Structure formats: C-alpha cells, structure tokens
Amino acid sequence: MSPSPAPAQPHWPAIVQFDGQPELAYISSLAEWQAAADLQHHIYHARDRLIDAHGAIYTLTPRAQQRVKPQATGQHLSLDQVLELVRAHLAREGQACVAKFHAPSIAAAIAMANDDEHTAP
C-alpha cells in the first residue's frame, strides 16, 4: 500500500473486501452502491474496506439513517495487490486457473470480481 492523495468519492467499479475473507462484493456504480441495502446496512468491521477502480482504499463508516459512507484513507493498492484479492475471490468461487488471470488496469481487475460475468481478459 502506498500513501497518496485520495479522492473524496470512490471511482467505480469498486469492491468491498471483508477482513480475513476471500469473498469480495463487486459494485459497478455509485447508484448500485446506494441501492444495495445489504451493503448499506451491513455492520462492517474496522478492517473491512472498499477498494475503487484506481486502487484507493476507503474505510466503511456508518452515518445518518444507518447508511454507510466510504471514507478515504489516502492509501492505495497496486494492480498486483488487487489481482491477488480477485484471484483469491475467484478461486473461492470455483474458477480454474486463476493464477493465469491478468488485467491491464485496476478497474479491469475489479471487473473480474463481478459474479455475473466471471470472465478474464
């Protein structure tokens, strides 16, 4: 992880990484994030985090009306770090040969976590 200025809002798509779990939750857009009641009302642990299309890391802090607002940490993951998370997720889902999965960008790596598609570039 490297510190750098973090945007106030995540760039989509993004994933939620649950602490200690290979499972990732894929979110395609701000509208999907805001509409996903299961993600908005989830009680997040302190080390759960949202990772956006640029690799920026956000904590998931409850706010008014029991909604969750991602808070920028100023830290980023590299493409290789995001790929490792996605590979672990896909292996958990039963995908074969995940070690061969590569992506040209963090956004493309995150898109691989979309349970509706399961396609590798």
Side-chain angles (χ1 to χ4, degrees), residues 105-118:
S105 67
I106 292 172
I110 286 173
M112 290 168 46
N114 183 350
D115 291 337
D116 294 334
E117 296 189 13
H118 285 295

Side-chain angles (χ1 to χ4, degrees), residues 13 15 24 26 53 78-87 90 101-114 119 121:
I15 50 176
L24 301 172
Y26 173 82
S78 68
L79 173 57
D80 288 338
Q81 290 170 312
V82 173
L83 273 171
E84 284 304 311
L85 295 174
V86 172
R87 287 178 184 139
L90 293 174
F101 286 5
H102 295 282
S105 67
I106 292 172
I110 286 173
M112 290 168 46
N114 183 350
T119 57

Side-chain angles (χ1 to χ4, degrees), residues 91-105:
R92 179 190 173 278
E93 297 290 314
Q95 291 291 309
C97 301
V98 295
K100 295 180 182 180
F101 286 5
H102 295 282
S105 67

Side-chain angles (χ1 to χ4, degrees), residues 10 16 19 22 35-36 46 48 70 76:
V16 174
D19 184 39
D48 292 343
H76 284 73

Side-chain angles (χ1 to χ4, degrees), residues 3-34:
S4 63
Q9 296 293 320
H11 292 92
W12 306 97
I15 50 176
V16 174
Q17 179 192 19
F18 302 98
D19 184 39
Q21 303 294 320
E23 180 183 4
L24 301 172
Y26 173 82
I27 304 116
S28 64
S29 65
L30 175 60
E32 182 179 336
W33 170 253
Q34 291 172 336

